[in-house]
Amino acid sequence: MVMLKDPSTKYRRFKPLDIPNRQWPSKTIDKVPRWLATDLRDGNQSLVDPMDGEQKFRYFQMLVKLGYKEIEVSFPSSGATDFDFTRRLVTTPGVVPDDVWLQVLSPCRKELIKRTVESLKGSKKAILHLYLATSPCFQQIVFGMDNKQSKELAVECTKYARSITKDDPNSGVEEWAYEFSPETFSDSDPEFVIEICEAVKAAWEPSVENPLIFNLPATVEMSTPNVYADQIEYFCRNITEREKISVSLHPHNDRGCAVAAAELAQMAGADRVEGTLFGNGERTGNVDLVTLALNLYTQGIHPKIDFSDLNSVIDIVEKSNKIPVHPRQPYGGQLVVCAFSGSHQDAIKKGFVAREKSGATREDPWMMPYLPLDPEDIGRTYEAIIRVNSQSGKGGVAWIIKRTLELDLPRGLQIAFSKIVQRETDMLGRELLPNEIKDLFVEAYHLNKNPRFGLVDYNISTDRSTSPAPPPPAQEQKEAQQQTSTTGNKKTQSSRNLRRKFEGVIEIDGQEHHVSGTGNGALSALAGALKNLGIDLDIADYKEHSIERRGGHGHGGEEAKGRDTQAATFIECTAAGQAQKVWGVGIHEDVVQSSLFALLSAASSFLSSRPSTPVPFRPKRSDTVNLDVEGPGLSPLRQEMNGAPASQGPDAVAKLEAKVREGEQREQVNGAEAANGGSGAS
Ligand SMILES: CC(=O)SCCNC(=O)CCNC(=O)[C@H](O)C(C)(C)COP(=O)(O)OP(=O)(O)OC[C@H]1O[C@@H](n2cnc3c(N)ncnc32)[C@H](O)[C@@H]1OP(=O)(O)O
Ligand SMILES: CC(C)C(=O)C(=O)O
């Protein structure tokens, strides 16, 4: 079987209504309709496994909690489950609030109407809902009835219903309302719909205070939504005693336009909408009440339904229906507050940064690229907004780091880290979760543990052996402003433009060593010390900001307790004479220490980026070595390391590594000798 070449022979084009002076296109929706949730009836009847009493009960309680005041709870004549459930609602004290209407559905069959009415005995507010098909297709095929017979049956059943409900003082219900649905309204002759509804109205005799509900279902959605709106406008204009009528919509979603149909039809004059949460229902479903409500909300109209915790609603709906909410479902779908693609993430991130900077409160106007609704308003978190896969760019990655670690990465570091993330997503072939990205960052920039270097102790002092320094480069101006003489965390004010001396103990690959170096500030003094180790790094970029955090990362895995302020430092280094750039990150309560950590982080990355390269020089444990002074026999090796670009190829690197290992072995022998009573001098 294939699609027809000419489908017009089989499918007739829908003939639109001729109402040339239609008003609805220039109307707007400016009020909340009456909502009727039919999840427990129309939704339930379409499930593979309809809900049991317990599931219906829990679902009902959720609908009440959300704020629905009219709930179609069952088709009581269908069997014990629905009948007993209705009885349970009516007879369990406190379950149905006084302002909530229980609605039940019955076909136009007297014995079924009677049973239906019985199920409500004892309730406060009840809506009896009868339906009868009015479209020629249904009349002819299903019922074998013409218009006249349909009208007679509708009137007869309405009169019967009236006699056992509002006209019966012993009905056992405090307040009755009546709803009639000309089923397949969307495919019915509009004039006949008016005719049958006038007859039903006359049989029921509604009042302004207690209007009759004419529910006009698109039982099957058969046309574009504007046609449905025309049909509704036609009905609203032509039905008499409009003030005694509540015009209700019941759109199904066969063409995927149920939401649009419901919205245009409200513009056309409807007062009430029937639907289900997330659109469960026959075939393609009923109109989605969540979308309708939140569409209103994002137009500044509170829908009177509280979706503040949409996730728990989804949870109950999915468990009860045994159907997952589609990841792309408007508002509720898992993916609808997420952006994977780089340019979307970038725009959203910029949007949030701008909002934060402007000091906007939660109530202030929402202006956010790609996000029509503030996810927080429906209980969804910002963390979920940006998700990272191989389509993502630096903006999204930076956003995740901002949210998880409170770090504002400089642009260059964003680019560098996003390459690391990209490599990982390409390798894994899947999305990376925020925590995985955070862990990747912590590992890449050694926030928990620097694999090669550890700052054990240090002292920054004025280097009195040298003359005042020339004007400092960018990062050192920053250092100069800090101008601290620091021992551990203690700082004292010092004079400007004096050279600094770093003296300290650095752990290198597990062994502690005394090192020293000088520079225009603490950072460059450490850089000087590293240079003496053969790691010649120039600082090309330096950024720093403070972070207020509760707990979180510190170097060496220390957890900061309580709320405290820390400094985050980002340093980009170039290896002298090479194009290679590496970033280092440091976090510490002390700003100087934070920058020293950042440099050691960069140094570690620099070495690690050169495969299997050990630290060029490894003095013995406990040796005190002033590396400002060239150690005997060290210089050639160090020079080789400095001068050996990674591009020299594996052979060159291997040779170099062999030399280094030889040197290490020599040192170990020396160390053993020293331990056995040697002088320990290098
Ligand atoms: C558009 C809608 O969603 S309408 C709601 C549909 N929901 C349900 O049907 C769920 C509950 N239904 C049921 O439990 C059963 O179908 C019952 C109890 C209503 C009827 O069961 P049965 O008597 O076994 O009939 P069955 O289901 O086989 O067929 C439906 C019958 O009702 C008739 N019928 C259908 N709609 C209506 C109506 N609105 N008014 C009167 N009769 C109707 C059909 O013509 C058919 O009659 P027939 O047996 O004389 O041909
Ligand atoms: C009973 C009616 C309202 C119905 O469910 C429909 O037409 O879809």
Side-chain angles (χ1 to χ4, degrees):
M1 292 293 181
V2 290
M3 286 174 77
L4 298 179
K5 281 207 170 69
D6 177 13
S8 70
T9 59
K10 189 168 185 175
Y11 302 104
R12 276 165 302 145
R13 199 169 298 177
F14 199 88
K15 203 163 161 267
L17 265 187
D18 183 25
I19 43 170
N21 57 346
R22 57 176 67 79
Q23 299 296 305
W24 66 262
S26 44
K27 297 272 170 57
T28 52
I29 304 175
D30 46 22
K31 68 175 198 308
V32 184
R34 284 170 62 179
W35 304 113
L36 177 283
T38 186
D39 304 65
L40 298 173
R41 197 281 294 172
D42 213 350
N44 186 56
Q45 78 185 33
S46 61
L47 294 175
V48 178
D49 295 316
M51 295 179 221
D52 61 25
E54 214 38 57
Q55 287 165 332
K56 279 192 127 188
F57 194 73
R58 195 181 46 183
Y59 204 113
F60 176 83
Q61 287 177 311
M62 173 187 69
L63 291 172
V64 168
K65 199 166 156 222
L66 291 175
Y68 287 101
K69 301 294 178 202
E70 298 176 49
I71 304 173
E72 191 160 61
V73 295
S74 61
F75 194 122
S77 64
S78 66
T81 307
D82 268 19
F83 187 89
D84 293 348
F85 169 67
T86 315
R87 294 305 306 147
R88 182 178 173 189
L89 291 183
V90 173
T91 56
T92 312
V95 173
V96 185
D98 287 353
D99 60 348
V100 169
W101 293 81
L102 297 183
Q103 178 167 309
V104 287
L105 180 66
S106 170
C108 284
R109 277 165 58 179
K110 284 188 183 166
E111 75 284 9
L112 300 187
I113 297 171
K114 185 164 183 286
R115 180 86 176 138
T116 304
V117 168
E118 276 166 11
S119 74
L120 292 164
K121 214 175 180 87
S123 58
K124 286 207 164 61
K125 293 175 186 289
I127 304 172
L128 174 63
H129 179 191
L130 300 193
Y131 68 102
L132 185 65
T134 50
S135 83
C137 163
F138 279 63
Q139 284 176 328
Q140 288 158 31
I141 294 173
V142 186
F143 297 94
M145 282 184 189
D146 58 18
N147 281 353
K148 186 168 170 286
Q149 289 165 315
S150 298
K151 190 166 97 180
E152 279 167 9
L153 183 60
V155 169
E156 188 187 334
C157 287
T158 301
K159 283 186 175 159
Y160 175 67
R162 178 176 170 167
S163 70
I164 59 170
T165 57
K166 73 167 179 172
D167 285 357
D168 180 3
N170 299 318
S171 73
V173 173
E174 284 179 23
E175 202 175 350
W176 281 105
Y178 181 54
E179 171 169 333
F180 177 76
S181 293
E183 194 197 350
T184 56
F185 163 83
S186 47
D187 189 33
S188 302
D189 170 11
E191 282 174 28
F192 176 60
V193 172
I194 294 288
E195 187 184 326
I196 195 170
C197 286
E198 288 290 357
V200 166
K201 176 156 68 71
W204 184 262
E205 292 189 304
S207 65
V208 176
E209 298 71 38
N210 189 349
L212 195 166
I213 302 163
F214 280 127
N215 185 46
L216 308 176
T219 306
V220 179
E221 186 177 50
M222 310 191 80
S223 62
T224 49
N226 60 306
V227 173
Y228 186 58
D230 279 351
Q231 292 169 327
I232 298 295
E233 183 165 322
Y234 180 90
F235 183 89
C236 290
R237 278 205 230 163
N238 290 288
I239 190 80
T240 60
E241 299 183 286
R242 176 70 179 84
E243 68 287 358
K244 296 181 184 170
I245 304 298
S246 180
V247 173
S248 180
L249 309 171
H250 184 107
H252 279 269
N253 198 33
D254 299 80
R255 295 167 53 95
C257 302
V259 167
E263 290 181 334
L264 299 189
Q266 285 175 73
M267 289 155 61
D271 311 297
R272 184 176 183 270
V273 182
E274 299 194 348
T276 59
L277 300 181
F278 302 115
N280 177 47
E282 296 281 9
R283 306 177 307 282
T284 51
N286 287 71
V287 72
D288 172 15
L289 291 179
V290 178
T291 301
L292 286 178
L294 292 174
N295 280 359
L296 271 181
Y297 183 79
T298 53
Q299 294 294 303
I301 300 171
H302 198 290
K304 297 188 187 152
I305 304 295
D306 186 0
F307 286 125
S308 300
D309 183 9
L310 199 58
N311 288 334
S312 64
V313 176
I314 294 170
D315 198 41
I316 293 180
V317 170
E318 287 186 333
K319 281 193 182 120
S320 309
N321 292 345
K322 286 130 308 222
I323 298 176
V325 169
H326 194 281
R328 299 280 179 212
Q329 181 77 21
Y331 302 107
Q334 217 194 5
L335 297 180
V336 303
V337 287
C338 296
F340 287 96
S341 65
S343 54
H344 288 222
Q345 293 181 336
D346 171 64
I348 293 172
K349 179 182 144 259
K350 285 174 180 159
F352 276 114
V353 169
R355 190 166 175 85
E356 203 172 303
K357 265 198 193 138
S358 75
T361 66
R362 271 203 55 212
E363 285 77 26
D364 283 332
W366 181 250
M367 199 174 80
M368 189 64 63
Y370 297 115
L371 283 182
L373 168 75
D374 181 352
E376 275 202 340
D377 289 0
I378 52 171
R380 310 193 75 175
T381 54
Y382 291 139
E383 274 72 24
I385 292 173
I386 289 181
R387 292 173 55 175
V388 172
N389 64 13
S390 60
Q391 301 292 303
S392 309
K394 63 181 182 344
V397 170
W399 172 252
I400 302 255
I401 295 302
K402 170 80 179 148
R403 304 301 307 176
T404 54
L405 291 169
E406 297 176 45
L407 299 179
D408 286 318
L409 306 189
R411 188 180 166 81
L413 178 53
Q414 290 180 18
I415 295 167
F417 180 54
S418 96
K419 282 184 187 144
I420 296 176
V421 172
Q422 183 78 36
R423 224 176 19 240
E424 194 76 358
T425 52
D426 280 339
M427 192 182 78
L428 296 175
R430 64 164 173 86
E431 174 199 2
L432 278 187
L433 299 174
N435 261 345
E436 292 178 306
I437 292 165
K438 183 189 85 176
D439 291 347
L440 203 57
F441 187 87
V442 166
E443 198 194 322
Y445 299 102
H446 321 119
L447 293 189
N448 269 347
K449 179 145 184 55
N450 187 321
R452 313 294 294 264
F453 298 90
L455 186 60
V456 179
D457 194 12
Y458 71 96
N459 178 54
I460 305 290
S461 56
T462 305
D463 179 19
R464 296 187 189 282
S465 66
T466 52
S467 52
Q475 90 280 356
E476 292 180 357
Q477 283 175 10
K478 196 98 181 172
E479 290 187 300
Q481 280 163 18
Q482 290 157 358
Q483 282 298 324
T484 52
S485 173
T486 310
T487 302
N489 285 340
K490 283 188 212 127
K491 297 176 203 167
T492 53
Q493 197 63 34
S494 178
S495 54
R496 298 176 67 83
N497 286 339
L498 291 172
R499 280 181 75 77
R500 303 275 147 195
K501 182 165 186 173
F502 175 96
E503 288 172 301
V505 180
I506 292 184
E507 195 181 83
I508 304 169
D509 287 346
Q511 293 198 335
E512 290 184 2
H513 305 285
H514 291 260
V515 291
S516 68
T518 58
N520 284 324
L523 186 58
S524 44
L526 175 60
L530 289 177
K531 186 173 179 184
N532 291 328
L533 278 176
I535 303 162
D536 194 355
L537 296 175
D538 288 334
I539 298 167
D541 197 358
Y542 174 99
K543 296 264 164 19
E544 158 221 305
H545 69 76
S546 62
I547 32 180
E548 269 235 341
R549 55 168 45 173
R550 188 176 287 283
H553 285 275
H555 278 270
E558 28 184 296
E559 281 285 308
K561 298 230 163 50
R563 191 152 265 291
D564 59 346
T565 306
Q566 295 186 310
T569 309
F570 311 96
I571 294 176
E572 188 186 32
C573 298
T574 50
Q578 293 175 37
Q580 187 191 359
K581 288 183 173 182
V582 284
W583 278 91
V585 181
I587 299 175
H588 198 270
E589 287 84 356
D590 177 72
V591 68
V592 172
Q593 215 159 309
S594 158
S595 67
L596 300 183
F597 280 143
L599 184 56
L600 292 180
S601 157
S604 189
S605 295
F606 169 66
L607 290 183
S608 304
S609 67
R610 323 180 92 211
S612 313
T613 308
V615 174
F617 171 68
R618 294 184 180 186
K620 291 190 299 290
R621 187 179 185 82
S622 307
D623 280 353
T624 301
V625 182
N626 183 348
L627 291 165
D628 278 350
V629 182
E630 296 278 290
L634 302 176
S635 189
L637 179 59
R638 204 181 302 134
Q639 278 163 14
E640 263 186 289
M641 284 304 291
N642 287 343
S647 61
Q648 269 191 333
D651 283 345
V653 172
K655 268 190 210 154
L656 207 50
E657 284 176 1
K659 275 191 179 180
V660 171
R661 273 195 299 278
E662 268 173 42
E664 279 177 54
Q665 278 160 9
R666 268 202 310 276
E667 282 160 29
Q668 274 163 18
V669 172
N670 287 344
E673 283 168 6
N676 290 331
S679 70
S682 330

